[in-house]
Every structure is written in structure tokens, then in C-alpha cells.
Amino acid sequence: MGRRLTAAPGLLPRDFFDRPVLEVAPDLLGCVLRHETPDGAVAVRLTEVEAYAGETDPASHAFRGMTARNAVMFGEPGHAYVYFTYGMHFCVNLVCGPAGVARAVLLRAGRITAGTALAAERRRAGRAAGRDGQERDLARGPARLCQALGIDRALDGADVCAPGSPLQVTGATLAGPGVSAGPRVGVSHGAEEPWRFWITGDPTVSVYRPHVPRRRARA
DNA sequence: CCGAAGATTGCCT
DNA sequence: GGCAATCTTCGGG
């Protein structure tokens, strides 16, 4: 896989993100995403991510060019692209280089390393009866990860490389288990590309689901 | 202006 | 394993 630019702990520099998305994505595994709010801080160690290659990737939101929603993806690397989907969920990406093109890594799952109680409280409050009391399920899946961290569209465009930012990513050296790669989850086009990366054997990695067209709600 | 699908999740059978 | 919830975004008419 791509060599890790920053192995030492500490805030990831913008240069880390200013690289091809297929290098950045696997390198993010093991790194820690932290969101600080007035309620407290929650952090997760990333265990599963997906790369999206913008204009050349039919599965990317940027495939058909820039719109008001995906504008952040076309901007400077190291910023968060947060979108709302299915009428109830948020998902967060980290924008990568090279500059001028739309590349981003979707953060699909992680393991809570700080703020477990706050994360669990958000999960309970957000869903009427999320029965998953399991710690490993708190950030298992892109929408759950956002809910546990309290991420919403207010963070769209946030600079995760800025020292004072409420949303930050710190580096870590991935030791022990290796990285696996496979097809992305839930994408209708471009599903053949193995652009999903996860920490081999990690229990917090979400379950693979192929894309299924949604039936139109009956009138 | 309107219709259709969506980088998902959780509950139901 | 199947399907409903819920609404924003985007493409087409």
C-alpha cells in the first residue's frame, strides 16, 4: 500500500492529504478522528474507509461536476465534506489532493477511543431505540460514525488540519494486523473497483452490502 | 416545477 | 433477508 507520510502521532499536516486518494485512504486506517463540542469530545480510531475519485468515478458525488453540495470536494485538501442522505443520515469525507480535482475518502467506521459515554448518549437520542448497546457498534457504519461524533452539515468545509479546529485527525502507525481491500458498499456504479480499505479482522468494520435499487414508495 | 434515487440504518417477518 | 423511514439534491421536462 502507499507509504505513510506521517507515522508520528500528532495533527496530520495538509501534505498528508495532498496525495492521490488511493494512497491517503489506506494510510488513514489507524488514525484518530476527534470532534470537540461544548458537550465534550469524542474520538474514533478509523478502521474502514472508501476512496472516491471525483470526475472519473461514477460512484462519486462529483462525477457530474461541481454543485453546491459537493463544492468542498473540489477545494483544498484536508477539509471535511459532509453530506446528508436518505432523509436522515450524515456521512463525512476528508478531501484529498491533488488540488483542483474532486477526491475524497469516506470514513465508514471506527472504534471509539474517547468519549464513549457521550457517543452512546448521542446514539440513543438520535434513534428511537437503537438496540446496539455494544461499544463496537457505536461507530460501525458511516452514518453511525457521524452520529456518535455529532457531525452534521455545520462541519461541511471544516479544516481538519487547523490547530484550533473542532474536528481534527491525528496520525498513528498501524502495527499488527494488515490492511484489506475490496469493493465499496452500496454504490450502484463503479462497484467493481476495490477502493474500500479496512483493518483486517477488526470487529468494528461494517458489513458489506451490495447496492440495491430502492422501490418507489407506494402512493 | 416535479419525479426519482440516494456513498444508510433499523425494525419486521 | 426484506423493506420502510425521511428529505435533500439533481436531472429532466
Side-chain angles (χ1 to χ4, degrees), chain A residues 24 35 43 51 85 102 105 111 114 116 130 144 175 177-179 204:
Chain A
V24 177
H35 185 208
T85 191
V105 178
R111 178 175 156 278
T116 305
R144 287 168 166 178
V179 170
T204 65

Side-chain angles (χ1 to χ4, degrees), chain A residues 80-134:
Chain A
Y81 164 49
V82 181
Y83 67 89
F84 183 67
T85 191
Y86 288 102
M88 60 184 95
H89 299 304
F90 294 102
C91 294
V92 63
N93 298 249
L94 295 178
V95 177
C96 298
V101 296
R103 301 292 152 78
V105 178
L106 171 68
L107 309 183
R108 288 197 55 91
R111 178 175 156 278
I112 307 284
T113 59
T116 305
L118 176 55
E121 183 184 335
R122 283 174 173 149
R123 292 275 306 138
R124 281 194 301 271
R127 234 44 200 124
R131 186 112 6 91
D132 61 84
Q134 300 301 319

Side-chain angles (χ1 to χ4, degrees), chain A residues 2-76:
Chain A
R3 68 270 177 207
R4 187 179 293 281
L5 194 74
T6 303
L11 196 60
L12 289 180
R14 197 170 311 285
D15 281 353
F16 177 92
F17 297 99
D18 195 9
R19 293 182 292 151
V21 68
L22 289 178
E23 288 185 19
V24 177
D27 282 0
L28 278 170
L29 295 174
C31 293
V32 174
L33 176 72
R34 177 189 182 85
H35 185 208
E36 185 138 13
T37 69
D39 291 335
V42 174
V44 298
R45 177 174 177 271
L46 299 175
T47 57
E48 180 188 5
V49 300
E50 282 178 357
Y52 284 85
E55 302 87 335
T56 62
D57 179 2
S60 171
H61 286 170
F63 183 56
R64 298 178 186 278
M66 183 164 65
T67 64
R69 176 176 66 156
N70 65 27
V72 172
M73 282 182 77
F74 289 79
E76 184 179 50

